[in-house]
Amino acid sequence: MKTKINNKLISVVMNCHNGQQFLNKSINSLLRQSYKNWELVFYDNKSTDRSKKIINSYRDKRIKYFNSNKP
């Protein structure tokens, strides 16, 4: 009997403010998942650390970066 594969898009939302020490571990964990039809919506709340640089170092089209425009 074949198992039906669910190919629905899963959105993972990550909200961040100066979380550089956790980003690589968190993103790598997502990349290692067996389910591949996902997107990461990364929302940067005015980080002053290397968070944006870390996110942009991943060349995966499923990772989408957004930043806060509010002070």
Side-chain angles (χ1 to χ4, degrees):
M1 172 186 261
K2 291 187 178 182
T3 303
K4 184 178 179 181
I5 297 174
N6 183 348
N7 283 327
K8 291 183 180 182
L9 177 65
I10 302 297
S11 296
V12 178
V13 178
M14 187 180 295
N15 193 10
C16 178
H17 176 74
N18 293 337
Q20 73 179 16
Q21 68 188 37
F22 307 108
L23 287 182
N24 284 318
K25 186 173 182 178
S26 298
I27 295 167
N28 289 335
S29 175
L30 184 57
L31 290 168
R32 285 191 303 268
Q33 297 300 309
S34 60
Y35 191 81
K36 300 298 180 190
N37 193 19
W38 55 262
E39 67 177 353
L40 172 61
V41 178
F42 183 86
Y43 190 79
D44 187 352
N45 281 313
K46 298 286 188 184
S47 294
T48 57
D49 62 1
R50 298 180 65 241
S51 294
K52 181 177 182 178
K53 186 172 184 172
I54 292 169
I55 287 294
N56 288 333
S57 72
Y58 289 89
R59 302 285 186 225
D60 192 309
K61 293 179 183 178
R62 299 173 293 180
I63 299 174
K64 294 158 179 72
Y65 175 87
F66 299 91
N67 63 354
S68 174
N69 292 325
K70 293 186 178 185

